[in-house]
Amino acid sequence: MSTQYAMSPAARGVLDWMVENRVRQLELISEQYAASDDTSPSGDAAVRAHLLFVAEALAATAPDDHPELGVFADTLPDRLDDAQDALAEHHEALAAAANFEANLQFGDEAKSDPSLAAMLGRRIRIGAWMRLFVEALDQVQPDRRPISHDVAEWMAARQRRLAGMVFAMDKKAKLAEIARAGKGSINDPAVVNHLGQAAMVQAHMQFLVEALTDTLE
């Protein structure tokens, strides 16, 4: 029996819009980088830009019975700015859980391997931003059932899929880099690190879109 994941038509519609509007995504990234000292592909500025883009994609593809998604896209920048304390709380909670899991899985290596620690740190930070995003979405639809808990459960049940998405996007990015600059280009650790960070963010954004479109009523 096949275990291939079947993406919903709603998720595919949002993701197709995002591909078609790549220029807008680059504009948002540029705007967020201009207001930040961190221009890494998985830093706070980059993650914010991607989340703003997801919000715009949801609004642009929303059915008529979800007008609040347009309000959400318009107000999300201010909502993110005003929720830094909540972001810190999410980060702390996710860090405690992730570090406990890493210690069980990797033992002392989880603390002594800088690359593993950096990867876990990026995953935790992106997860905290995503939780903040979903909570902000609940705030603009008070007459609807809150979805934060359902989205968290959806994601928790599909972590293996997320890992596969990160791997696949990272591999695709490396192949594209080889086609662009030659095989030797991915011998540079800085290039590999940049591609890996970007793939992690992109995979998490697709994962978020799938979770939201499967959960929104």
Side-chain angles (χ1 to χ4, degrees), residues 10-161:
R12 174 53 60 195
V14 175
L15 294 171
D16 285 347
W17 185 94
M18 294 169 74
V19 171
E20 293 167 2
N21 291 273
R22 170 69 172 161
V23 171
R24 175 57 181 158
Q25 182 183 42
L26 296 176
E27 290 175 354
L28 288 168
I29 292 172
S30 179
E31 290 171 4
Q32 293 299 311
Y33 278 173
S36 173
D37 294 330
D38 183 0
T39 58
S40 65
S42 65
D44 284 355
V47 176
R48 278 179 57 108
H50 283 277
L51 289 174
L52 295 174
F53 189 52
V54 169
E56 291 188 5
L58 290 171
T61 58
D64 292 340
D65 60 344
H66 276 286
E68 76 280 0
L69 291 176
V71 175
F72 177 60
D74 291 339
T75 61
L76 184 58
D78 289 338
R79 291 178 184 276
L80 296 181
D81 287 341
D82 294 340
Q84 293 305 298
D85 288 344
L87 177 65
E89 291 174 4
H90 287 313
H91 187 277
E92 183 178 355
L94 289 172
N99 289 331
F100 177 75
E101 179 184 344
N103 286 333
L104 288 178
Q105 185 172 358
F106 300 107
D108 291 341
E109 184 182 352
K111 298 178 181 178
S112 60
D113 185 340
S115 62
L116 177 59
M119 182 275 292
L120 287 173
R122 288 192 290 270
R123 188 178 74 178
I124 291 164
R125 192 65 174 176
I126 296 168
W129 276 109
M130 287 166 59
R131 284 193 176 188
L132 194 66
F133 178 98
V134 180
E135 286 186 351
L137 180 55
D138 274 341
Q139 292 168 7
V140 300
Q141 48 179 11
D143 296 331
R144 295 181 182 270
R145 180 178 58 84
I147 65 170
S148 297
H149 178 72
D150 291 344
V151 169
E153 285 198 336
W154 190 100
M155 291 182 171
R158 294 166 176 80
Q159 286 299 300
R160 188 173 291 182
R161 167 162 172 75

Side-chain angles (χ1 to χ4, degrees), residues 176-189:
E177 178 64 17
I178 290 171
R180 185 190 70 82
K183 191 172 183 179
S185 61
I186 62 169
N187 292 332
D188 184 343

